[in-house]
């Protein structure tokens, strides 16, 4: 089928393009290259802002069956400092993509949400039907995108699946992302620089390997999971201190972080329950954290050899 991928040059989007091309789909990417830089010569890229009205005519000409919408302002910190910029990209951009796909006669949009929408949850791992309590402009704009998807389905019959991602890690990640801590620890430990854990090291996150994440997207572009929010995570919590030890082992460096005061606004714990995703898409995370971190360290080592810091 023909699939539009926004944010195609980014960390997750570029892996998704690779997967969809390998699966035999015809793919077109959209990216303004503001943070992403992973571009394939053999895949058409429209270098543009997802909120640009000119997207409508281009999408109409391509007539995609489905779109995976990953382009976003991805930083919680940036969203707090400049909420209007966050909303412009994440709310207006999402409205523009939905409208473009609808006008083009597309069947479905797969929307990329974040476990940040759950805020401080009542229970862990968070089920996919938990209430949304966005606690940052970024989480609010992702929540708004989910609401737009539901509204487009009710108003126009455009199908959607919301994929609510936990903390994604793997090759091509940059230190700025939500799960940038893996790439921060990996790069620092490879270079022999000191590493810092904020707080007492007991804060937890749910780390899911990028190859598993794009497998969920590849399944969701089909008819399954229509009209649903599906969590993409392992359901397991890893503490910051455990993560540091695992990355140090993957890199072959000493496990000796410094400790710094906790950062204001950091959630104490997060993990998402993938039960509904298994039922709807037959998806489950298959890469163990230890193995995924080893692959990430290998990629970072090769990149450092090519581009010394
Ligand atoms: N990495 C994670 O752990 C994680 C967790 C939850 C959700 N997400 C979501 O997954 C998606 C992909 O994130 P990522 O980690 O690959 O980040 P990324 O920054 O690598 O990818 C985002 C891509 O979008 C592009 N982009 C940004 N603004 C744009 C605009 N206005 N127009 C066109 N393109 C634009 C960037 O150039 C980049 O290539 C995002 O929607 C993000 O919110 C990521």
């Amino acid at each position: 089928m023909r699939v539009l991928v926004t944010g195609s040059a980014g960390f997750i989007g570029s892996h998704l393009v690779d997967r969809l091309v390998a699966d035999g789909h015809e793919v077109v990417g959209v990216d303004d290259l503001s943070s992403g830089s992973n571009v394939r010569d053999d895949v058409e890229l429209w270098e543009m802002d997802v909120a640009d009205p000119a997207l409508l005519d281009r999408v109409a000409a391509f007539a995609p069956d489905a779109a995976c919408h990953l382009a976003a302002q991805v930083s919680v910190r940036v969203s707090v400092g400049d909420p209007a910029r966050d909303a412009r990209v994440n709310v207006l951009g999402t409205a523009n993509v939905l409208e473009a796909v609808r006008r083009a006669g597309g069947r479905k949009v797969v929307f990329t949400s974040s476990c940040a929408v759950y805020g401080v949850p009542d229970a862990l791992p968070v089920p996919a039907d938990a209430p949304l309590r966005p606690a940052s402009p970024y989480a609010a704009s992702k929540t708004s995108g989910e609401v737009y998807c539901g509204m487009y389905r009710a108003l126009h019959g455009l199908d959607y699946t919301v994929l609510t991602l936990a903390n994604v890690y793997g090759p091509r990640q940059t230190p700025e992302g939500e799960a940038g801590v893996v790439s921060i620890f990996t790069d620092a430990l490879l270079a022999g620089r000191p590493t810092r854990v904020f707080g007492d090291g007991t804060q937890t996150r749910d780390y899911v390997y990028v190859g598993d994440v794009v497998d969920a997207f590849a399944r969701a572009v089909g008819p399954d999971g229509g009209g649903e929010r599906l969590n993409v995570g392992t359901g397991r919590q890893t503490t910051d201190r455990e993560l540091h030890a695992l990355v140090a082992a993957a890199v072959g460096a000493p496990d000796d972080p410094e400790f710094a005061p906790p950062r204001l606004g950091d959630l104490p714990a997060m993990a998402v329950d993938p039960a509904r995703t298994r039922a709807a898409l037959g998806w489950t995370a298959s890469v163990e954290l230890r193995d995924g971190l080893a692959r990430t360290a290998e990629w970072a080592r090769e990149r450092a050899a090519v581009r010394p810091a």
Side-chain angles (χ1 to χ4, degrees):
M1 68 174 92
R2 281 189 298 279
V3 186
L4 188 76
V5 176
T6 75
S8 59
F11 161 46
I12 304 169
S14 65
H15 284 280
L16 178 58
V17 169
D18 292 347
R19 168 66 191 264
L20 293 173
V21 168
D23 286 353
H25 297 296
E26 187 184 340
V27 178
V28 166
V30 181
D31 202 298
D32 67 356
L33 304 184
S34 54
S35 67
S37 59
N38 305 287
V39 176
R40 282 173 66 131
D41 291 340
D42 59 345
V43 171
E44 187 175 343
L45 169 72
W46 304 338
E47 188 180 334
M48 66 191 299
D49 182 349
V50 273
D52 186 337
L55 187 73
L56 299 180
D57 285 345
R58 300 191 82 160
V59 175
F62 178 49
D65 301 288
C68 296
H69 178 38
L70 292 91
Q73 188 300 110
V74 300
S75 163
V76 171
R77 190 179 44 78
V78 168
S79 82
V80 172
D82 192 349
R85 173 180 160 196
D86 178 85
R88 198 191 62 75
V89 179
N90 294 2
V91 182
L92 289 185
T94 299
N96 207 37
V97 169
L98 286 164
E99 182 60 13
V101 176
R102 177 190 80 78
R103 287 196 195 181
R107 184 180 44 76
K108 188 176 196 184
V109 170
V110 182
F111 176 68
T112 316
S113 192
S114 160
C115 59
V117 298
Y118 296 126
V120 178
D122 296 327
L124 292 165
V126 191
D129 59 357
L132 304 189
R133 296 180 186 135
S136 66
Y138 170 75
S141 66
K142 288 291 182 183
T143 301
S144 163
E146 295 197 23
V147 172
Y148 263 85
C149 288
M151 179 272 287
Y152 260 75
R153 190 171 194 253
L155 187 65
H156 297 299
L158 176 63
D159 202 6
Y160 75 89
T161 298
V162 168
L163 295 181
T164 304
L165 311 188
N167 287 59
V168 188
Y169 73 97
R172 301 183 196 157
Q173 184 170 35
T174 59
E176 290 80 33
E178 278 182 74
V181 63
V182 169
S183 104
I184 292 168
F185 283 169
T186 304
D187 286 359
L189 290 170
L190 272 174
R193 291 195 305 269
T195 43
R196 266 190 313 178
V197 167
F198 294 97
D200 62 3
T202 58
Q203 176 179 289
T204 68
R205 292 291 182 267
D206 180 347
Y207 294 97
V208 60
Y209 187 66
V210 66
D212 282 330
V213 173
V214 302
D215 183 49
F217 277 89
R219 291 166 188 258
V221 292
D224 293 343
E228 296 210 61
R229 174 191 312 121
L230 302 173
N231 286 332
V232 179
T234 67
R236 284 192 296 276
Q237 299 180 61
T238 301
T239 69
D240 287 352
R241 188 66 192 86
E242 286 165 347
L243 182 76
H244 191 280
L246 286 165
V247 174
V251 168
D255 176 30
D256 188 20
E258 296 169 4
F259 286 86
R263 288 181 303 186
L264 194 67
D266 272 356
L267 297 177
M270 181 51 75
V272 294
D273 182 351
R276 202 200 265 188
T277 322
R278 195 178 309 121
L281 301 179
W283 178 88
T284 185
S286 65
V287 178
E288 289 296 327
L289 184 53
R290 197 178 295 274
D291 297 335
L293 291 175
R295 292 184 205 178
T296 308
E298 191 183 321
W299 171 81
R301 196 175 282 118
E302 281 169 11
R303 188 192 50 164
V306 178
R307 293 191 308 201

